């Protein structure tokens, strides 16, 4: 192709391509983890749902982390079965548990912003335990702050009723923030610096 | 034509490509041979300005690749190692159309190119199939079609036979023969020369980031052991 | 599982932008419905959409079984009171009226999913959201859809690799961490390869956009959507 024909093509810069690719992979990872659980003794499922959101915030920071989880939600809106129990669609998002999805999008931004205290992420190896734990707990609070009133509104419940309905899940979610903190900042060397 | 001049590229303390100079002419079949870690993949990524050199430069058809990456990438089609890692579309048609769409071509021209490229690798009429449902050999051919749809003058293939069974390898080779006959230069990066030796016009031996030799296949045969590449029997 | 299924129903032939607009307009009007006739009207439209897309109610109920279970629990849980009379009708009715609005929205989104391939929604995004955000979101949606099955296969590989060496005997804590780390590591390696592949194919801000074309079929659906929004606005403003 001759030079004059190629001049009109506006290439996406390398840094944006890199961030977009990472955001895509974490969106896909969130989709895969949302379908996956390990059965605990007694048949209680231990879902991996929030790990993708946690990792996206810590790894990509608020901007690209937020973009990544937005992609996850939009792909589900478009009809790919990526929400829990292989559900999809606007009906799911507007349904009783849809507030938790909306919560994910805000939470990943909060996690990224609190952990990195900047719009651009610092290397994940530089995150220490306390800020990581605080960021993830803040994210968890945001997820419930949006998810619970949503559940209460859709099901016509009082907020207390919605809260007691969801209470059993809080234990597992707290455990998951602790696990993620351990992976990222626990000094186990499990997650070498890849970004 | 691809001209490499004093190209050097380091990743931290490791120099992957060390002052390499070479030239690849239009319509030539060149094999870049070398063991793992000899800098082959890094070298060919510079052909399309996918990396920034620490020193030296690559020219594609006379223009520095870094100055006009679009021209370099349309003139040099890349087929990556383990192509299934590099698909950007869920279906065959979507993947092959991605490059032509980025060139801003109109829909009729995109359709023509996708159809021609798929026909060139015997995948006509399979645009709507999901890539994940294809066999390894078919996936390798989709990756070639995606590069061919850019209508390049050169085709670079990085270890194209890894993980393919013999019929799939043979089919890829036949399609490369066709491209070569149609006037395209074929540049194959490989540590396994068994089927390439009879086809190549030239064998360039790389070791530790440097060119050890640049010879005709017959002359290169005896030099392969010194760069730890098994000579074809 | 409810996914896109090729077909030639009326719903399949509509432009994706029309279907998206209809979906959102309908959700808006459904949320403002509160009287029995209004709720009935909304349900009729929901069932009508299923009909136009040839989706069976059973398929929808199966696909959304967990959502529907929680919706059904709504009135039940709402009725319970700690102490006599133990069950109260008034809160149950409030809840019932609330959850009844959601079921038709599930119907409409099932009709959308069944009749609209992801690539059309992607095209709608690229053609509706202007400039770079539209391009990034559109391409991002296409790529995410492409990589979900790839990462699902990675998850299986990683799980099997852990099992093959008796990793199942380790604690839940250790197993979960190892699995997450291995998966993230693979995903990031794929991300590096994807970035190179995108650049090699001249990934540009200004590509040829996917083809989309409205037809006369879209007009009545747009009129209906505008009508829904008008009704919802009138209701919200209390006119």
């Amino acid at each position: 192709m001759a030079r004059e024909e190629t001049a009109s093509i506006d290439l996406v810069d390398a840094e944006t391509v890199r961030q977009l690719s990472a955001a895509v992979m974490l969106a896909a990872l969130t989709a895969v983890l949302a379908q996956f659980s390990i059965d605990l003794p007694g048949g209680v499922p231990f879902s991996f749902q929030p790990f993708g959101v946690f990792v996206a915030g810590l790894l990509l920071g608020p901007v690209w982390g937020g973009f990544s989880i937005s992609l996850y939600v939009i792909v589900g809106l478009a009809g790919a079965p990526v929400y829990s129990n292989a559900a999809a669609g606007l009906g799911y998002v507007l349904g009783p548990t849809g507030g938790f999805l909306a919560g994910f999008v805000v939470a990943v931004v909060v996690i990224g912003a609190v952990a990195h205290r900047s719009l651009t992420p610092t290397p994940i190896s530089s995150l220490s335990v306390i800020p990581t734990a605080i960021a993830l707990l803040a994210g968890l609070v945001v997820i419930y702050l949006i998810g619970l009133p949503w559940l209460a509104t859709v099901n016509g419940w009082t907020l207390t009723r919605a809260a007691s309905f969801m209470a059993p899940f809080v234990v597992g979610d707290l455990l998951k923030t602790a696990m993620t903190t351990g992976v990222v900042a626990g000094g186990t060397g499990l997650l070498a610096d890849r970004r | 034509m691809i001209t490499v001049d004093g190209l050097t590229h380091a990743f931290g303390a490791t120099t992957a490509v060390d002052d390499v100079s070479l030239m690849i002419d239009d319509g030539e079949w060149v094999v870049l041979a070398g063991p793992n870690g000899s800098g082959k993949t890094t070298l060919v990524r510079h052909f399309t300005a996918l990396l920034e050199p620490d020193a030296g430069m690559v020219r594609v058809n006379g223009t520095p690749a870094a100055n006009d990456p679009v021209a370099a990438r349309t003139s040099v089609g890349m087929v990556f190692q383990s192509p299934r890692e590099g698909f950007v579309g869920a279906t065959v048609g979507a993947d092959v159309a991605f490059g032509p769409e980025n060139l801003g071509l109109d829909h009729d021209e995109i359709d023509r190119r996708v159809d021609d490229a798929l026909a060139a690798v015997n995948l006509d009429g399979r645009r709507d199939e999901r890539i994940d449902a294809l066999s390894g050999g078919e996936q390798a051919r989709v990756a070639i079609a995606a590069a061919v749809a850019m209508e390049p003058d050169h085709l670079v293939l990085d270890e194209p036979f890894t993980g393919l069974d013999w019929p799939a390898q043979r089919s890829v080779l036949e399609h490369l023969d066709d491209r070569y006959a149609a006037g395209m230069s074929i540049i194959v990066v490989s540590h396994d020369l068994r089927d390439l030796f009879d086809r190549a016009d030239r064998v360039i031996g790389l070791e530790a980031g440097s060119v050890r030799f640049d010879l005709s296949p017959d002359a290169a045969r005896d030099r392969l052991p010194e760069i730890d590449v098994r000579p074809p029997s | 599982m409810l996914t896109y299924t090729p077909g030639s129903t009326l719903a399949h032939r509509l432009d994706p932008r029309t279907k998206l607009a209809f979906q959102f307009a309908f959700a808006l009007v459904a949320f403002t419905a509160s009287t029995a006739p209004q709720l009935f009207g909304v349900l009729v439209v929901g069932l009508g959409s299923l009909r136009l897309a040839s989706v069976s109610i059973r398929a929808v109920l199966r696909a959304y079984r967990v959502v529907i279970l929680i919706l059904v629990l709504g009135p039940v849980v709402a009725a319970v009171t700690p102490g006599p009379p133990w069950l109260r009708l008034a809160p149950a009715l409030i809840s019932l009226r609330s959850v009844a609005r959601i079921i038709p929205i599930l119907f409409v989104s099932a009709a959308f999913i069944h009749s609209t391939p992801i690539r059309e929604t992607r095209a709608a995004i690229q053609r509706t959201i202007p400039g770079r955000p539209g391009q990034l979101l559109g391409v991002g949606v296409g790529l995410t859809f492409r990589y979900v099955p790839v990462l699902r296969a990675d998850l299986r590989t990683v799980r099997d690799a852990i099992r093959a060496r008796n990793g199942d005997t380790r604690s839940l804590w250790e197993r979960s961490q190892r699995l997450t780390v291995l998966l993230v590591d693979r995903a990031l390696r794929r991300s590096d390869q994807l970035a190179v592949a995108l650049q090699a194919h001249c990934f540009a801000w200004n590509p040829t956009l996917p083809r989309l074309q409205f037809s006369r079929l879209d007009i009545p659906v747009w009129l209906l959507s505008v009508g829904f929004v008008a009704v919802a606005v009138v209701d919200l403003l209390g006119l």
Side-chain angles (χ1 to χ4, degrees), chain B residues 45 50 70 73-74 78 80 84-90 98-108 110-111 130-132 146-147 150, chain C residues 119 122 127 135 139 142-143 145-147 149-150 190 192-211:
Chain B
R45 286 195 178 184
L50 292 169
V70 176
R73 288 167 198 174
T74 45
M78 290 282 282
F80 292 99
R84 69 184 70 197
E85 317 292 353
F87 288 124
V88 299
F98 181 75
E101 280 168 9
N102 283 322
L103 300 181
L105 305 170
D106 64 45
H107 286 290
D108 292 339
I110 292 173
D111 282 342
R130 270 198 79 102
I131 286 181
D132 291 315
M150 305 285 271
Chain C
R119 81 186 120 79
R122 179 210 150 166
R127 290 201 152 259
Q135 168 69 350
V139 172
L143 288 173
F145 180 57
R146 189 261 167 287
Y147 275 97
V150 177
R190 288 194 184 283
D192 292 344
Q193 285 160 338
L194 173 62
V196 175
L198 285 171
Q199 286 177 281
H201 290 101
C202 291
F203 180 37
W205 287 118
N206 54 346
T208 311
L209 292 179
R211 245 186 292 227

Side-chain angles (χ1 to χ4, degrees), chain B residues 44-68:
Chain B
V44 294
R45 286 195 178 184
H46 279 282
F47 292 179
T48 46
L50 292 169
L51 295 170
E52 277 175 45
D54 293 316
M57 70 156 67
V58 172
R59 283 194 187 81
V60 175
N61 302 328
T63 311
N67 292 4
D68 193 349

Side-chain angles (χ1 to χ4, degrees), chain C residues 8-9 14 18 28 32 40 86 98 102 111 172 183 189 217 226:
Chain C
S8 56
T9 68
L14 290 170
T18 309
L28 194 63
T32 57
F40 181 74
W86 301 107
S98 186
I102 303 297
L172 171 75
L183 266 179
R189 215 169 306 173
L217 220 54
V226 172

